[in-house]
């Protein structure tokens, strides 16, 4: 369903709603509630505001009906339930969102480095795939490894910091990517991409622009765009159905299913979620309460075997976000972090990956 700025909407599964103040990408909007609170919301979680309850019920039923297709790759158990007693090839559809592949390299004026020409570099994964990546910088006769690791779907990760002088001397970067999902996907060779940064283009007043991936302006370089869905479709639907039937046969033989891993955990660190009243609390007091809760929840997640936890800290002045990441660097060697999904959380959350 198409929306535009100014449209009034209601939540699909909750009470309340508001007015659309901004469109964020293809799947998210920014909503201003009746009390003036602004929040990012998935388009699939809202319905148009209508005058009568009867009209509202009709629209809700239409939307729910249109959302019954389940991605067989990402939601294995839900997908299995959805094809129970059928298993027909026509019902095993590939999510059209898998066709969107947009991997970007971004540069932003640094907020942490003292040099006036310092730039922070980011890798952005605007896709539904996890990516194993390796990034290097050409240095005369060899490549200097900048960073390697895993980036989750629909997230961005900080890579390194450079100065304009660095980029003038060594403007060439190389990227290697391996895309995958946790279950069925078409195997392929790693993708390889090289690009040259033109430092002079970063000096103009319009070098950094508004975009859907950052709260602040940035300079974006598109690295890899491809219709990757054909790789998934290279696996015949009949093969997927056969695999699911084999799993069902094992269950009927009373072979126990593996214990499910803990689901993604979310912790909201907004101060109003942690205290009954903010009266009498200084900024220092509030930050201490937030950091104490962060440390408590992260230690608890580690003890419980949780592998991923999202801390929702909001945008604010960025102090809480910086303190969280500093604490992880100093106190939690078995944890890595990156920005949480910008489609689900906007610009105000950090995803912690626990090894």
């Amino acid at each position: 369903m198409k929306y535009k700025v100014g449209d009034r909407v209601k939540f699909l599964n909750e009470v309340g709603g508001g007015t659309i103040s901004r469109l964020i990408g293809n799947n998210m909007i920014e909503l201003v509630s009746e009390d003036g609170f602004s929040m990012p919301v998935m388009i699939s979680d809202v319905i148009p505001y209508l005058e009568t309850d009867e009209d509202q019920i009709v629209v809700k039923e239409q939307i729910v009906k249109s959302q019954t297709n389940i991605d067989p790759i990402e939601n294995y158990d839900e997908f299995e339930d959805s094809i129970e007693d059928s298993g027909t090839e026509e019902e095993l559809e590939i999510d059209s969102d898998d066709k969107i592949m947009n991997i970007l390299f971004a540069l932003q004026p640094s907020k942490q480095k003292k040099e006036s020409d310092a730039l922070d570099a980011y890798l952005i994964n605007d896709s539904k795939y996890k990516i194993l990546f390796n990034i290097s910088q050409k240095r005369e006769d060899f490549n200097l490894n900048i960073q390697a690791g895993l980036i989750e779907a629909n997230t961005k990760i900080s890579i390194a910091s450079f100065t304009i002088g660095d980029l003038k001397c060594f403007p060439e970067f190389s990227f290697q990517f391996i895309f995958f999902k946790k279950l069925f996907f078409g195997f392929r060779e790693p993708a390889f991409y090289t690009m040259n940064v033109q430092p002079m283009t970063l000096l103009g007043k319009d070098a950094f622009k508004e975009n859907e991936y950052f709260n602040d302006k940035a300079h974006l370089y598109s690295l890899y765009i491809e219709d990757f869905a054909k790789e998934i479709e290279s696996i015949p639907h009949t093969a997927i159905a056969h695999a699911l039937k084999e799993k069902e046969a094992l269950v009927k033989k009373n072979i126990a299913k593996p214990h499910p891993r803990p689901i993604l955990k979310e912790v909201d660190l907004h101060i109003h979620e942690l205290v009954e009243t903010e009266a009498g609390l200084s900024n220092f007091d509030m930050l201490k309460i937030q950091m104490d809760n962060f440390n408590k929840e992260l230690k608890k997640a580690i003890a419980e075997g949780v592998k991923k936890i999202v801390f929702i800290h909001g945008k604010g002045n960025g102090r809480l976000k910086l303190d969280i990441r500093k604490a992880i660097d100093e106190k939690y060697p078995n944890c890595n972090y990156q920005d949480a999904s910008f489609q689900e959380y906007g610009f105000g959350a950090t995803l912690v990956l626990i090894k």
Side-chain angles (χ1 to χ4, degrees):
M1 185 168 296
K2 298 293 184 180
Y3 293 102
K4 63 181 182 298
V5 174
D7 285 351
R8 295 182 65 190
V9 295
K10 287 187 176 182
F11 294 119
L12 179 61
N13 298 309
E14 298 179 30
V15 176
T19 303
I20 298 174
S21 60
R22 185 162 64 98
L23 304 178
I24 307 174
N26 296 323
N27 302 312
M28 179 173 284
I29 57 176
E30 183 178 83
L31 190 66
V32 178
S33 62
E34 295 178 357
D35 57 3
F37 183 73
S38 179
M39 71 192 84
V41 179
M42 297 296 293
I43 290 177
S44 58
D45 291 337
V46 299
I47 56 178
Y49 177 86
L50 298 176
E51 295 298 329
T52 67
D53 292 339
E54 290 78 7
D55 290 340
Q56 196 73 47
I57 292 172
V58 170
V59 172
K60 182 172 181 177
E61 289 177 346
Q62 290 174 345
I63 292 176
V64 171
K65 185 177 180 180
S66 69
Q67 293 176 347
T68 54
N69 288 335
I70 300 176
D71 184 354
I73 307 302
E74 200 66 63
N75 300 303
Y76 188 96
D77 293 327
E78 294 178 25
F79 174 66
E80 180 184 21
D81 294 338
S82 73
I83 65 165
E84 186 176 359
D85 300 326
S86 62
T88 60
E89 182 173 335
E90 290 75 19
E91 292 179 352
L92 304 178
E93 297 182 359
I94 301 298
D95 193 328
S96 61
D97 286 345
D98 287 338
K99 298 180 181 180
I100 301 174
M101 289 294 296
N102 199 7
I103 313 304
L104 304 103
F105 180 69
L107 293 171
Q108 269 192 324
S110 179
K111 295 181 179 179
Q112 303 180 47
K113 301 295 182 180
K114 295 180 179 179
E115 297 90 337
S116 60
D117 65 342
L119 301 170
D120 292 332
Y122 296 85
L123 180 67
I124 301 170
N125 176 13
D126 188 2
S127 78
K128 293 183 67 176
Y129 293 84
K130 299 180 180 181
I131 302 177
L132 289 171
F133 69 90
N134 182 69
I135 303 174
S136 59
Q137 189 179 26
K138 183 73 173 179
R139 297 289 183 98
E140 298 177 352
D141 295 330
F142 64 93
N143 274 35
L144 175 67
N145 187 55
I146 301 299
Q147 189 168 336
L150 170 69
I151 181 170
E152 298 287 329
N154 295 312
T155 64
K156 61 180 184 290
I157 187 170
S158 176
I159 299 300
S161 294
F162 305 94
T163 64
I164 295 294
D166 293 334
L167 298 175
K168 285 182 179 178
C169 295
F170 309 108
E172 184 177 331
F173 289 81
S174 297
F175 302 83
Q176 290 176 300
F177 300 124
I178 297 178
F179 303 90
F180 68 97
K181 280 192 171 184
K182 66 180 180 181
L183 285 174
F184 302 111
F185 63 94
F187 183 78
R188 60 174 297 153
E189 295 295 322
F192 181 75
Y193 192 93
T194 60
M195 60 161 284
N196 281 282
V197 173
Q198 302 296 327
M200 298 306 295
T201 64
L202 301 172
L203 298 177
K205 65 177 183 178
D206 296 326
F208 303 96
K209 299 181 179 181
E210 300 285 349
N211 60 89
E212 62 182 299
Y213 303 109
F214 295 91
N215 191 31
D216 300 315
K217 294 181 179 180
H219 192 92
L220 303 179
Y221 302 86
S222 183
L223 300 180
Y224 193 78
I225 303 175
E226 183 181 353
D227 183 359
F228 197 64
K230 66 180 66 174
E231 300 296 338
I232 296 178
E233 292 169 349
S234 66
I235 301 178
H237 292 165
T238 52
I240 298 177
H242 179 69
L244 293 176
K245 288 180 179 179
E246 287 186 342
K247 180 184 176 184
E248 183 180 354
L250 291 175
V251 173
K252 288 181 178 179
K253 291 181 181 180
N254 296 320
I255 297 179
K257 293 183 179 180
H259 191 277
R261 293 176 297 174
I263 62 174
L264 177 68
K265 186 175 182 179
E266 293 182 355
V267 176
D268 193 339
L269 293 178
H270 284 96
I271 192 65
H272 62 267
E273 296 289 340
L274 306 178
V275 297
E276 292 185 1
T277 175
E278 301 172 35
L281 294 176
S282 66
N283 289 337
F284 176 82
D285 295 332
M286 289 188 285
L287 182 61
K288 185 178 186 305
I289 292 172
Q290 290 170 313
M291 287 303 299
D292 287 345
N293 275 272
F294 159 76
N295 284 292
K296 180 185 72 174
E297 292 294 342
L298 182 53
K299 290 176 181 178
K300 181 179 178 182
I302 293 172
E304 293 176 348
V306 175
K307 294 301 182 183
K308 299 178 184 179
I309 179 170
V310 172
F311 289 97
I312 304 171
H313 44 65
K315 294 182 288 186
N317 59 13
R319 176 63 188 275
L320 178 58
K321 175 181 177 180
L322 290 176
D323 282 4
I324 286 174
R325 298 184 178 204
K326 182 179 179 182
I328 295 173
D329 290 335
E330 295 178 352
K331 301 178 182 179
Y332 302 96
N334 292 328
C335 295
N336 293 322
Y337 58 82
Q338 60 194 53
D339 286 350
S341 170
F342 40 79
Q343 290 190 358
E344 294 185 37
Y345 302 99
F347 307 113
T350 292
L351 170 65
V352 179
L353 306 172
I354 304 171
K355 299 176 183 177

